[in-house]
Amino acid sequence: VQLQASGGGLVQAGDSLTVSCAASGSIFSINNIGWYRQAPGKQRALVALIRSDNSTRYSDSVKGRFTISRDNAKNTVRLQMNSLKPEDTAVYSCNAALQRRPGDDFGSYWGKGTQVTVSS
């Protein structure tokens, strides 16, 4: 199983950016899938996640600015980030709780991060 992130980059404060993550390999089902971020000198923290019923959870710092969505047919998750701030600068990594085969326990899988830099 691989989680491939894409879409990071350098933007200015107030701009928008979208990051995407595609899960591939032997996957039967995905439960929660979402984004975490780690800024220099800080611990990795949840940004947003979306559950299998499409309910969502956001960190307080991004509520109202970021929107997470998923495409179950393509095993992808997308994070639309609007009104970006310099404090959003971090490495963004996707995480999925998924089953590889029917009846398996759900395992936690991480993708390689993508850098998002917001200049002031």
Side-chain angles (χ1 to χ4, degrees):
V1 173
Q2 279 193 320
L3 273 67
Q4 182 67 49
S6 61
L10 172 64
V11 296
Q12 292 187 329
D15 283 353
S16 298
L17 190 66
T18 299
V19 289
S20 299
C21 178
S24 61
S26 177
I27 299 170
F28 175 67
S29 70
I30 299 176
N31 190 2
N32 296 352
I33 187 166
W35 290 93
Y36 291 72
R37 68 187 181 187
Q38 187 168 22
K42 294 189 177 181
Q43 288 191 327
R44 185 164 56 190
L46 173 71
V47 177
L49 67 80
I50 184 166
R51 303 177 183 90
S52 57
D53 63 359
N54 282 326
S55 62
T56 57
R57 176 183 168 189
Y58 294 92
S59 70
D60 288 343
S61 62
V62 307
K63 279 181 185 175
R65 299 188 297 123
F66 291 12
T67 302
I68 190 169
S69 60
R70 64 190 285 172
D71 183 332
N72 293 326
K74 297 180 180 179
N75 287 336
T76 58
V77 62
R78 181 172 170 267
L79 185 68
Q80 172 70 41
M81 303 182 287
N82 297 328
S83 302
L84 282 160
K85 304 175 181 179
E87 50 263 45
D88 294 317
T89 295
V91 174
Y92 285 68
S93 301
C94 62
N95 172 266
L98 59 87
Q99 275 181 315
R100 297 191 65 183
R101 290 176 295 271
D104 280 0
D105 289 339
F106 281 89
S108 178
Y109 293 81
W110 288 93
K112 191 176 178 180
T114 185
Q115 178 70 45
V116 172
T117 303
V118 185
S119 64
S120 56

